[in-house]
Amino acid sequence: MSRVTLKFVSISLRTATFADVPQIEALIARSARALSTDAYRPSQVEGALRGAFGVDTQLLTDKTYFIAEEQGPIVGCGGWSFRSTLFGGDARAGRDSSTLDPRTQAAKIRAFFVDPSNARRGIGSLLLDRCETEARIRGFARVELMATLPGVKLYAARGYLKSAMVRFDVGLGETIEFIPMSKELVAP
């Protein structure tokens, strides 16, 4: 378990478990609804919560999903993957659990969400550091992700480069915009 002090508050990271899923799902919904209001319409967020946003239990099985806690309560979550699926929870169709080749493919940074009352305190960066470190240890030289519009600023500040915006169908005639981003990992 890693422990750091962020803005004078102690945050601890641990590997997420299946017992955490209800709390993680609630955090994802709170985060998406509160922190996306400047970037997405409510109908886009609600559509995304039906599949594009959500818990991917493959990450829990692989032990590559983490939660940030502040003296108990979960204040953030995020992970990485050595599998092909780039984004989306268990409800998203078209998932691919095939294993990536770290010599030729990028690890995936996945499902980062922070509790709205704890936004902009460094929790996302703490989680991202953990994920990048683990991907590097696993042999990956590059990582990629599908950023929400509100998340682009964090990832850009951490050295991720943007690609062209994409639209993802969230059902009921609604789409949501994402920005694919990637980064070369350098040795620590």
Side-chain angles (χ1 to χ4, degrees):
M1 180 181 301
S2 17
R3 217 170 180 50
V4 297
T5 300
L6 300 175
K7 303 210 179 181
F8 310 107
V9 178
S10 180
I11 303 290
S12 60
L13 292 184
R14 69 173 171 82
T15 304
T17 68
F18 283 91
D20 296 317
V21 169
Q23 291 178 60
I24 295 169
E25 288 175 339
L27 171 67
I28 290 171
R30 273 194 322 276
S31 179
R33 288 179 177 129
L35 299 178
S36 297
T37 57
D38 291 340
Y40 299 127
R41 296 182 306 281
S43 58
Q44 289 177 294
V45 172
E46 294 309 313
L49 285 168
R50 291 190 298 269
F53 300 160
V55 176
D56 180 347
T57 54
Q58 182 68 62
L59 300 176
L60 299 177
T61 299
D62 292 340
K63 300 190 181 319
T64 59
Y65 201 64
F66 310 102
I67 58 172
E69 296 173 307
E70 183 174 28
Q71 300 172 338
I74 297 175
V75 295
C77 57
W80 75 280
S81 183
F82 52 83
R83 299 186 185 276
S84 293
T85 295
L86 181 57
F87 72 97
D90 288 349
R92 183 174 165 255
R95 302 164 52 70
D96 180 356
S97 64
S98 62
T99 303
L100 300 167
D101 180 350
R103 294 170 298 173
T104 60
Q105 296 173 298
K108 312 303 184 201
I109 298 296
R110 302 281 313 277
F112 273 59
F113 295 92
V114 174
D115 184 86
S117 64
N118 289 280
R120 289 171 256 317
R121 291 180 52 215
I123 294 168
S125 291
L126 177 64
L127 287 159
L128 196 54
D129 283 343
R130 171 80 175 262
C131 294
E132 289 176 358
T133 297
E134 289 202 6
R136 192 180 303 109
I137 289 168
R138 185 85 179 229
F140 287 92
R142 196 166 59 87
V143 288
E144 63 185 14
L145 57 86
M146 189 67 79
T148 61
L149 299 183
V152 168
K153 186 176 178 181
L154 164 69
Y155 299 120
R158 298 298 311 258
Y160 285 75
L161 302 176
K162 299 183 217 178
S163 295
M165 180 184 290
V166 298
R167 296 185 191 286
F168 178 74
D169 183 350
V170 293
L172 303 175
E174 190 68 77
T175 61
I176 193 165
E177 300 82 19
F178 293 121
I179 305 287
M181 301 181 80
S182 63
K183 176 181 177 178
E184 299 296 322
L185 295 176
V186 294

